[in-house]
Amino acid sequence: MRAILLERGLTFPKGRRKFEIGLASLLDDTDIDLSKRISALLADMREEWKEMDRRIAELDREFADRAKSNEATRRLLTIPGIG
């Protein structure tokens, strides 16, 4: 997404969160000169990004739950650098 926007002269500060905020304001701003097709593409990509974040969070919760229910994993988590 950054590359698509950079090709159109739009840059954003480093960092994922700053990009998310900038992208949201960009898509909400009607004064920015982006074609409807590019705006739709970016909005679709942003939705896919949100869905992936949701799935990753779900998997993280599943892994944490499994780790809590397994004695060997609980012992491993007490080791500095692993847990």
Side-chain angles (χ1 to χ4, degrees):
M1 285 190 283
R2 280 182 189 267
I4 290 169
L5 292 166
L6 185 59
E7 289 175 352
R8 284 146 185 86
L10 299 168
T11 59
F12 296 87
K14 288 184 180 181
R16 176 191 166 129
R17 185 68 184 140
K18 290 178 183 177
F19 181 68
E20 283 180 300
I21 292 168
L23 182 62
S25 66
L26 175 74
L27 292 175
D28 293 340
D29 189 352
T30 57
D31 294 334
I32 300 295
D33 188 26
L34 287 177
S35 69
K36 288 183 181 183
R37 181 65 188 124
I38 292 297
S39 294
L41 173 67
L42 290 169
D44 187 45
M45 291 171 75
R46 184 174 64 163
E47 289 305 312
E48 286 183 36
W49 186 3
K50 287 180 182 179
E51 176 61 18
M52 288 181 71
D53 282 345
R54 187 197 62 74
R55 291 175 59 199
I56 289 168
E58 188 177 300
L59 288 171
D60 283 346
R61 282 190 297 276
E62 180 184 334
F63 293 148
D65 289 345
R66 287 182 182 222
K68 290 176 187 175
S69 66
N70 183 294
E71 177 61 33
T73 306
R74 283 196 310 267
R75 282 184 290 169
L76 283 172
L77 290 173
T78 64
I79 300 171
I82 295 179

